[in-house]
Amino acid sequence: MLPSWNRARVAVEHDRHGRAQGRPMDHPWASDGPSWNLRGNGGLLSTARDMFRWHRALVGDTVLSEAAKRKLFAPQVRVPELDGSYGYGWVVVDSDDGRIAWHDGGNDWSLATVAEFRRDDIMVFWVSNHAYQKGKWNLEDDQLELTRGVGARLAR
């Protein structure tokens, strides 16, 4: 089901050439929500406030026990090209800054990244409505470095 958000408060996405592609709810959806190609990932739309609420739930023990969180944030399958492992829905990286669990999502126009810095109970969540500019820059290439930089500033 699509949220009933004020359209003026939802960002317009831009393609690799900088052309506006509309808002997420402007694209074809089935009558009951995301189209078939978005069912697996849920066609997730969220707000920064709700992402923060999810982070607070993961820090506390209301949603998951400590044992369940240890499993959730544990590395399961090594993925060398990610310099880490894949866990239960996260890329898990152990670094000098502690364990970081992160994931991203996008659609060739926009990009979102969420990271849980487990040692410091810090979440970094950012979204861009313009993921890359052809031949100039690509946020996917720099997302982990950008996210770690924000996390390091918050941990001070």
Side-chain angles (χ1 to χ4, degrees):
M1 177 183 235
L2 288 172
S4 59
W5 294 330
N6 177 340
R7 289 178 53 74
R9 296 186 59 133
V10 177
V12 172
E13 297 172 310
H14 293 81
D15 67 15
R16 64 185 177 169
H17 302 290
R19 294 183 300 242
Q21 296 299 316
R23 294 169 173 82
M25 62 276 283
D26 295 337
H27 306 290
W29 289 68
S31 61
D32 63 343
S35 301
W36 70 268
N37 61 321
L38 294 177
R39 298 277 177 169
N41 68 17
L44 181 69
L45 295 176
S46 189
T47 65
R49 177 176 288 164
D50 284 345
M51 292 300 290
F52 182 67
R53 286 178 179 151
W54 178 240
H55 164 70
R56 296 300 301 155
L58 290 175
V59 170
D61 61 0
T62 303
V63 175
L64 295 174
S65 68
E66 285 301 318
K69 286 188 285 188
R70 277 193 299 279
K71 288 180 183 177
L72 176 66
F73 294 112
Q76 301 297 325
V77 178
R78 182 88 178 114
V79 183
E81 60 269 17
L82 293 175
D83 193 29
S85 300
Y86 200 74
Y88 293 116
W90 303 91
V91 175
V92 180
V93 178
D94 286 318
S95 70
D96 294 339
D97 300 323
R99 179 162 287 167
I100 304 167
W102 68 276
H103 207 294
D104 64 358
N107 61 4
D108 291 335
W109 302 330
S110 60
L111 178 67
T113 299
V114 62
E116 291 283 337
F117 291 77
R118 301 303 300 157
R119 185 185 68 195
D120 300 312
D121 289 338
I122 292 172
M123 175 196 68
V124 173
F125 171 65
W126 59 268
V127 181
S128 175
N129 65 334
H130 194 174
Y132 67 101
Q133 185 73 41
K134 187 176 181 183
K136 296 184 179 180
W137 51 269
N138 186 337
L139 288 176
E140 282 191 62
D141 294 340
D142 300 320
Q143 67 183 331
L144 190 53
E145 181 182 346
L146 292 167
T147 303
R148 280 182 159 165
V150 173
R153 289 179 186 219
L154 293 172
R156 289 184 193 164

